Amino acid sequence: MKGAFIYVNAGKGHYIPAKALYDTFITNGDDAVLENLFVIFDSPFWDRHTESNWQFFLKHGRIQPLAHRAADNRLSFEFIKMMTLQERHLTAFRTWYEKEKPDFMISTNFLGGVLLPEAVRALGIKCPVYQYAADIFDTPVIGINDNIDIFFAPSVIGLENAAKKGQRRTSLCLCPFPLQYRMEHEKPLGKDEARKKLNIDDRFTMLFSLGGEGIADISLLPELEGRHIDMNAIVLGKPATETSRLLDEFENYAEHVGLVRPGFVNNVNEYLASADMTVGKAGANSVMESLYMKRPTLITQLLYPFEEAKNFLESHGIGCAENSVRRQADIIEETIAHPERMDERAFDDIGITFSSEDFRKLLLEKTVRWHESR
């Protein structure tokens, strides 16, 4: 059986789950294709637009929730559908489909929920279309579409919010969170073991997330340094040019906050294991991987529609969201002073499972049933 895993260039939060599912299909001997939604429809304009839009709002995170909330409506749904599902785009989609012949398609971006079901119907293609809610606890109104065969979300809250926004209840299905292959299949290291392996000082350590584009406000670091808090701050990935310059400046004078800057790594699981908590932008993947590793999360920039994560984290006592830099530093100080707040048992009953392998089995089962019923 062949699966088509379809993403959009609008942050790693959409690419990573598609890649995780693609990897587990390939590893298990199934056929699969990993593709950009707008490449399929031969729409370079929308590809550039979605990427530049995402990068703009990363730089202007304070206005992102307001702007995206204002644009999240059914009028936008109809506009995107009209602009993309023109004859030349449908022709490109048909050409792609006839070349790949997938048994199912699953989009990890809500825009796939707009375009794929409509294209399949318009062309009379017999292939189920699935949607995965990459924001875990919610989904944009734009992506609600009764023609989606199955709407997957890793949380009950995410399914309920999709239903409230109009998604057909009979299409809703709870799924595991798709872990990256290495994280799922390697035995987790203990904190002490991870720090020793990575040569990280044995003291309070936060994994500081800059987001997939490396664009971030690092003002929390000088605030922590000014309070003389002895700790480590692990910064993974490649920071954007300006962010890199600010990190260099900070590293030159910091005496208490030690920066760990390994760059791009393929062992995120080990760095997570070495940390006491994760701090930074609310990327769904980084937050969920932190929960999988039983590390509390402090979200410093809450993006729409990931706002529902705040209530979830706080209700379970496993994290929080705070925009104020001073209050962020207060929370870190309080966490250091009260290590009991990092009790891993709080993660035992959050109602979310983690496995690309189990998600793969679920996709195969649902697809077999779909084709048998036709």
Side-chain angles (χ1 to χ4, degrees), residues 218-228 245-259 261:
I218 69 159
S219 53
L220 174 60
L221 296 176
E223 179 70 24
L224 294 168
E225 175 67 22
R227 299 187 186 201
H228 295 181
R245 183 186 68 80
L246 293 172
L247 287 170
D248 289 343
E249 289 181 0
F250 176 78
E251 197 166 20
N252 285 335
Y253 73 79
E255 297 180 357
H256 301 277
V257 179
L259 286 187
R261 300 169 66 179

Side-chain angles (χ1 to χ4, degrees), residues 49-64 67-68 213 215:
H49 174 75
T50 53
E51 185 173 18
S52 61
N53 177 275
W54 177 248
Q55 290 174 342
F56 173 83
F57 283 112
L58 284 177
K59 296 176 183 177
H60 306 280
R62 301 294 185 187
I63 64 173
Q64 189 268 358
H68 281 205
E213 303 293 327
I215 301 169

Side-chain angles (χ1 to χ4, degrees), residues 300-321:
T300 58
Q301 190 177 102
L302 198 56
L303 304 177
Y304 177 87
F306 202 58
E307 293 170 339
E308 285 285 342
K310 180 179 187 295
N311 292 333
F312 177 84
L313 293 172
E314 292 178 353
S315 67
H316 288 280
I318 55 177
C320 59

Side-chain angles (χ1 to χ4, degrees), residues 50-233:
T50 53
E51 185 173 18
S52 61
N53 177 275
W54 177 248
Q55 290 174 342
F56 173 83
F57 283 112
L58 284 177
K59 296 176 183 177
H60 306 280
R62 301 294 185 187
I63 64 173
Q64 189 268 358
L66 296 173
H68 281 205
R69 187 178 290 106
D72 186 23
N73 52 57
R74 299 310 290 172
L75 181 62
S76 295
F77 173 94
E78 295 297 337
F79 174 75
I80 294 169
K81 185 172 69 172
M82 177 187 69
M83 291 297 292
T84 306
L85 296 183
Q86 298 172 11
E87 184 175 352
R88 73 181 185 88
H89 299 308
L90 287 175
T91 299
F93 178 80
R94 184 193 291 277
T95 300
W96 171 83
Y97 175 79
E98 290 178 350
K99 173 189 174 186
E100 299 294 346
K101 284 292 196 297
D103 293 291
F104 69 87
M105 308 173 200
I106 181 167
S107 172
T108 57
N109 182 278
F110 62 89
L111 291 173
V114 180
L115 304 181
L116 294 172
E118 304 306 315
V120 165
R121 291 184 75 208
L123 297 171
I125 292 172
K126 302 299 181 184
C127 179
V129 176
Y130 308 144
Q131 176 74 11
Y132 168 73
D135 290 298
I136 314 299
F137 305 104
D138 204 354
T139 196
V141 172
I142 294 176
I144 298 298
N145 191 341
D146 274 350
N147 293 320
I148 294 170
D149 290 287
I150 302 179
F151 184 98
F152 290 103
S155 74
V156 173
I157 296 171
L159 295 178
E160 284 301 313
N161 282 328
K164 289 175 184 177
K165 291 181 176 180
Q167 184 61 41
R168 176 170 46 87
R169 282 195 174 270
T170 54
S171 71
L172 304 179
C173 183
L174 187 67
C175 68
F177 176 81
L179 285 168
Q180 296 185 66
Y181 188 84
R182 185 165 185 171
M183 185 164 288
E184 179 168 358
H185 292 279
E186 288 191 2
K187 182 180 178 181
L189 298 177
K191 189 179 297 181
D192 293 340
E193 185 182 6
R195 288 178 180 175
K196 184 176 180 180
K197 180 176 181 179
L198 300 171
N199 196 28
I200 293 174
D201 291 344
D202 189 19
R203 56 180 178 169
F204 183 85
T205 299
M206 73 174 187
L207 189 63
F208 190 49
S209 175
L210 302 178
E213 303 293 327
I215 301 169
D217 177 2
I218 69 159
S219 53
L220 174 60
L221 296 176
E223 179 70 24
L224 294 168
E225 175 67 22
R227 299 187 186 201
H228 295 181
I229 299 175
D230 291 315
M231 59 180 292
N232 304 313

Side-chain angles (χ1 to χ4, degrees), residues 1 30 39 137 153 161 199 219 237 248 293 312 323 366 373:
M1 186 170 290
D30 297 305
V39 169
F137 305 104
N161 282 328
N199 196 28
S219 53
D248 289 343
M293 295 294 291
F312 177 84
N323 288 329
K366 294 294 185 182
S373 68

